[in-house]
Structures are given as C-alpha cells and as structure tokens.
Amino acid sequence: MFELTGKTAIVTGGSRGIGREIALKYADLGANIAIVHYGDGENAAQTEKDLLEKGVKAASYECNVADFEASAALVDKIIEEFGEVHILVNNAGIVRDTLMLSMKESDFDAVIAVNLKGVFNMTKAVYRHFKQKRRGRIINMSSIVGLTGNAGQSNYSASKAGIIGMTKSVAKELGSRNVTVNAIAPGFIKTEMTDGMPEKAREAALAAIPMKRMGQVEDIANLAAFLASDEAAYITGEVIRVDGGLAM
Ligand code: NAP
C-alpha cells in the first residue's frame, strides 16, 4: 500500500462525502490533514475528531473556497501551523441543477464560483509554495459530466469541464518543478449530493452503469491515495474516470 507519512494534505470539502473519505484514507497512510469546509461545522468537527483518533495531526478550517483572499489567507495559515503542504485536493463542490430554461444567473454563478474559481483560488494559493519546494501533488475533483455533459447540469458540467482544462494547463506549467496535477472524474457516487437526486433519475443512472451499482466514496479515495503517492510521480495532466464504466 502507499505511504504518505510526513506529508501534509489540504482536502477542501473534507467534512463529508468523498472529501471526508479521502482525508481518512490519507490519514491511514500517515499524512497530516487540514480539511476545509463551509457549512455548519458539525460534520467538520466529527471528521477532525476521527482524523485525530488515527494519530495524525489534523485540523478543520471554515473557508469559502470561492473567496480569493480568504483562500490565500487560509493556505498561509495552514503552512504556518503544519510547517508545509505537500498535497492539495480540490474537492469542494456544489450543485444547482435545473434545465437551462429555468436556470437563474445566480445558479450559474454560484456553481462556477465554488467548483471552478474555488479550484483556481486554492491552486493559486499553493502554487508558489509547491514551485519553490520543487514538489507537490494537486488532485482536482472533476466529474464525468465534465466529459459528457448532462441535461439539467449545464452550470455544473461547465465547471467540471473547466477543471479539466485548468488541470492540464497547470500540469504543463509546473511539470518541470516536479509538481503533478491530475483530475478525478467520478461517476455516480453515493453521498449526500446524490442522495438528493430524484428517484427516476437515480434509476436511469443505475441502468446505464455497466457495473450496475453506484460507486462508493472508497472507490474515489483509493485513486486519490495513489495519485498523491510517490508511485504516481510520473502521472500528470491526466483525467481518470471512476464510474463503473458509465462514461466509456
Ligand atoms: P457533498 O457530500 O455534497 O460534500 C460537499 C463538500 O464540499 C462538503 O464538505 C462541503 O462543506 C464542501 N463545500 C461546499 N461548498 C463549499 C465552499 N464554498 N467552500 C468550501 N467547502 C465547500 O459532495 P460529494 O458528493 O462528496 O462531492 C465531492 C466532490 O466530488 C464535488 O466536487 C462533486 O462535484 C464531485 N463529484 C461527486 C459525485 C457524486 O456522485 N457524489 C460525482 C462526480 C463528482 P460543508 O460540509 O461544510 O457544507
């Protein structure tokens, strides 16, 4: 199994769902963890407690990743408190699903602000640190709908496609500094985000998945662990689907 002892990871959206599982997996592999959340702090407090029980250094931070200044200040604070940062997982994300006909400008702006600009803000905040240290891992949570599109998700799909373009661009910028930048494209994963789907949409999605089951958060965390590890040192600018074959 992979080893992350002595590394520090920032996981945005680490309070619940996929981000929480990635944080727990990284801690199992020995990493110190800073999780970032923005809702009420209950989930974040529980995850921080679970991380500390694994014997690593861990802390949770409330920050809106859509806020440029707040993201920069947050990363400075985490570097000060943890010493340095080796891994950034840009996982925070929201949905405001509806057909474009009924999509409000605010639905579009909110999703782009958190899902896409949030990735820019946090990446920009670690960029100089990683560049100077000549190492680093950035793992961006895209989605298969960023590859395929999806009716009712024009805002979300655009944000996730944008992440893919940003991933490849930053991978090109930072490759010579030994910093890898990759994207994970999950399919249909069981979390609070998909629990909110209408039953009909859920049935249709399940029917279309060749493996005939939803993914589990562990399925994503396993790949995130590999991409953060030394074993993945020569993989960059890649987008890897974890979707039971849905988008092939
Ligand atoms: P989730 O259960 O809804 O969790 C979302 C996380 O993002 C929470 O930790 C939340 O913090 C955090 N967050 C939301 N807005 C934020 C903001 N403005 N600033 C900082 N943190 C914020 O989502 P999930 O299903 O685990 O999804 C995680 C990522 O995977 C997302 O980027 C999502 O788009 C992507 N994804 C998910 C699926 C799926 O099937 N679930 C499929 C493809 C891609 P609080 O707890 O504080 O609210």
Side-chain angles (χ1 to χ4, degrees), residues 13 15-16 18 38-39 63-65 91 156 160 187 189 191 194:
S15 55
R16 55 196 165 91
I18 291 170
Y38 191 49
C63 175
N64 180 5
V65 296
N91 165 80
Y156 182 81
K160 295 301 185 181
I189 311 299
T191 67
T194 45

Side-chain angles (χ1 to χ4, degrees), residues 163-180:
I163 285 175
I164 292 172
M166 201 187 302
T167 297
K168 294 182 180 182
S169 301
V170 182
K172 287 184 176 178
E173 290 182 20
L174 288 177
S176 66
R177 301 300 172 116
N178 204 26
V179 177
T180 69

